[in-house]
Amino acid sequence: MATARTAAMVFNRIVDARFDAANPRTANRAIPKGLVSIPFAWGVLLVSIALFVFSAAMLNRLVLLLSPVALLVTCPTAAADDPAFMPALAERGVEAVRINCAHDSAD
Protein backbone atom coordinates (compact mmCIF):
# COMPACT_ATOMS: atom_id res chain seq x y z
CA MET A 1 0.00 0.00 0.00
CA ALA A 2 2.97 2.35 0.38
CA THR A 3 3.30 2.44 -3.40
CA ALA A 4 -0.41 3.23 -3.88
CA ARG A 5 -0.15 5.98 -1.27
CA THR A 6 2.94 7.40 -2.99
CA ALA A 7 1.14 7.34 -6.35
CA ALA A 8 -1.88 9.14 -4.90
CA MET A 9 0.24 11.77 -3.17
CA VAL A 10 2.39 12.44 -6.23
CA PHE A 11 -0.66 12.66 -8.48
CA ASN A 12 -2.20 15.17 -6.08
CA ARG A 13 0.99 17.25 -6.08
CA ILE A 14 1.10 17.28 -9.90
CA VAL A 15 -2.56 18.21 -10.30
CA ASP A 16 -2.47 20.84 -7.56
CA ALA A 17 0.89 22.42 -8.48
CA ARG A 18 -0.59 25.67 -9.78
CA PHE A 19 -2.90 25.97 -6.76
CA ASP A 20 -0.04 25.14 -4.40
CA ALA A 21 2.13 27.84 -5.98
CA ALA A 22 -0.55 30.47 -5.35
CA ASN A 23 -1.20 29.44 -1.75
CA PRO A 24 1.29 30.74 0.86
CA ARG A 25 0.77 27.62 3.00
CA THR A 26 1.73 25.24 0.17
CA ALA A 27 4.01 27.42 -1.97
CA ASN A 28 7.12 25.81 -0.47
CA ARG A 29 6.22 22.31 -1.67
CA ALA A 30 8.81 20.75 -3.97
CA ILE A 31 7.01 21.15 -7.32
CA PRO A 32 5.85 24.77 -6.96
CA LYS A 33 9.25 25.72 -5.58
CA GLY A 34 10.98 24.11 -8.58
CA LEU A 35 12.91 21.49 -6.59
CA VAL A 36 11.14 18.66 -8.43
CA SER A 37 10.09 18.91 -12.06
CA ILE A 38 6.69 17.82 -13.33
CA PRO A 39 8.27 15.18 -15.66
CA PHE A 40 10.22 13.73 -12.72
CA ALA A 41 7.05 13.62 -10.62
CA TRP A 42 5.25 11.78 -13.45
CA GLY A 43 8.14 9.29 -13.47
CA VAL A 44 7.79 8.69 -9.72
CA LEU A 45 4.05 8.27 -10.20
CA LEU A 46 4.45 5.69 -12.97
CA VAL A 47 7.10 3.73 -11.04
CA SER A 48 4.87 3.72 -7.95
CA ILE A 49 1.92 2.43 -9.97
CA ALA A 50 4.06 -0.25 -11.61
CA LEU A 51 5.38 -1.44 -8.24
CA PHE A 52 1.88 -1.49 -6.78
CA VAL A 53 0.47 -3.52 -9.67
CA PHE A 54 3.46 -5.89 -9.56
CA SER A 55 2.98 -6.37 -5.80
CA ALA A 56 -0.72 -7.04 -6.34
CA ALA A 57 0.09 -9.59 -9.04
CA MET A 58 2.44 -11.40 -6.67
CA LEU A 59 -0.45 -11.95 -4.24
CA ASN A 60 -3.02 -13.45 -6.61
CA ARG A 61 -5.04 -12.81 -9.75
CA LEU A 62 -8.05 -11.29 -7.99
CA VAL A 63 -5.91 -8.74 -6.17
CA LEU A 64 -4.23 -7.89 -9.48
CA LEU A 65 -7.59 -7.37 -11.16
CA LEU A 66 -8.81 -5.15 -8.32
CA SER A 67 -5.60 -3.12 -8.04
CA PRO A 68 -6.76 -0.26 -10.30
CA VAL A 69 -9.71 0.34 -7.97
CA ALA A 70 -7.34 0.76 -5.03
CA LEU A 71 -5.21 3.25 -6.91
CA LEU A 72 -7.74 5.98 -7.44
CA VAL A 73 -11.37 6.31 -6.56
CA THR A 74 -11.99 10.05 -6.34
CA CYS A 75 -15.54 11.29 -6.04
CA PRO A 76 -16.85 14.69 -7.05
CA THR A 77 -17.80 17.22 -4.41
CA ALA A 78 -21.45 16.45 -5.17
CA ALA A 79 -20.90 13.11 -3.41
CA ALA A 80 -20.83 15.01 -0.13
CA ASP A 81 -24.27 16.50 -0.82
CA ASP A 82 -26.08 13.52 -2.34
CA PRO A 83 -27.23 11.08 0.37
CA ALA A 84 -27.78 8.30 -2.18
CA PHE A 85 -24.36 8.57 -3.84
CA MET A 86 -22.19 6.84 -1.22
CA PRO A 87 -24.61 3.96 -0.47
CA ALA A 88 -24.78 3.29 -4.21
CA LEU A 89 -20.98 3.03 -4.35
CA ALA A 90 -20.95 0.75 -1.30
CA GLU A 91 -23.48 -1.55 -2.96
CA ARG A 92 -21.06 -1.85 -5.87
CA GLY A 93 -18.22 -2.89 -3.56
CA VAL A 94 -16.31 0.38 -3.12
CA GLU A 95 -14.89 0.54 0.40
CA ALA A 96 -12.85 3.74 0.40
CA VAL A 97 -13.16 6.98 -1.53
CA ARG A 98 -11.76 10.46 -1.51
CA ILE A 99 -14.09 13.43 -1.94
CA ASN A 100 -12.08 16.31 -3.37
CA CYS A 101 -13.42 19.63 -2.10
CA ALA A 102 -10.07 21.45 -2.21
CA HIS A 103 -10.90 23.63 -5.20
CA ASP A 104 -14.50 24.45 -4.45
CA SER A 105 -15.63 27.99 -3.92
CA ALA A 106 -16.57 29.27 -0.50
CA ASP A 107 -20.25 29.03 -1.45
Side-chain angles (χ1 to χ4, degrees):
M1 287 305 292
T3 53
R5 177 84 174 134
T6 299
M9 290 172 55
V10 171
F11 181 76
N12 182 267
R13 295 294 188 258
I14 292 168
V15 171
D16 286 351
R18 66 186 175 117
F19 298 105
D20 289 344
N23 183 340
R25 184 180 62 80
T26 58
N28 284 326
R29 290 183 176 165
I31 293 175
K33 201 169 181 179
L35 300 174
V36 173
S37 70
I38 296 287
F40 181 81
W42 276 110
V44 171
L45 174 66
L46 294 176
V47 168
S48 296
I49 290 170
L51 287 172
F52 177 75
V53 172
F54 174 75
S55 299
M58 296 304 293
L59 292 173
N60 64 48
R61 183 172 168 78
L62 178 61
V63 176
L64 171 63
L65 294 173
L66 293 174
S67 63
V69 176
L71 283 173
L72 185 63
V73 177
T74 301
C75 294
T77 304
D81 299 325
D82 182 357
F85 189 88
M86 298 310 285
L89 284 181
E91 287 173 10
R92 290 170 177 82
V94 175
E95 295 180 4
V97 298
R98 173 180 182 251
I99 299 173
N100 189 358
C101 300
H103 308 300
D104 291 350
S105 66
D107 298 332

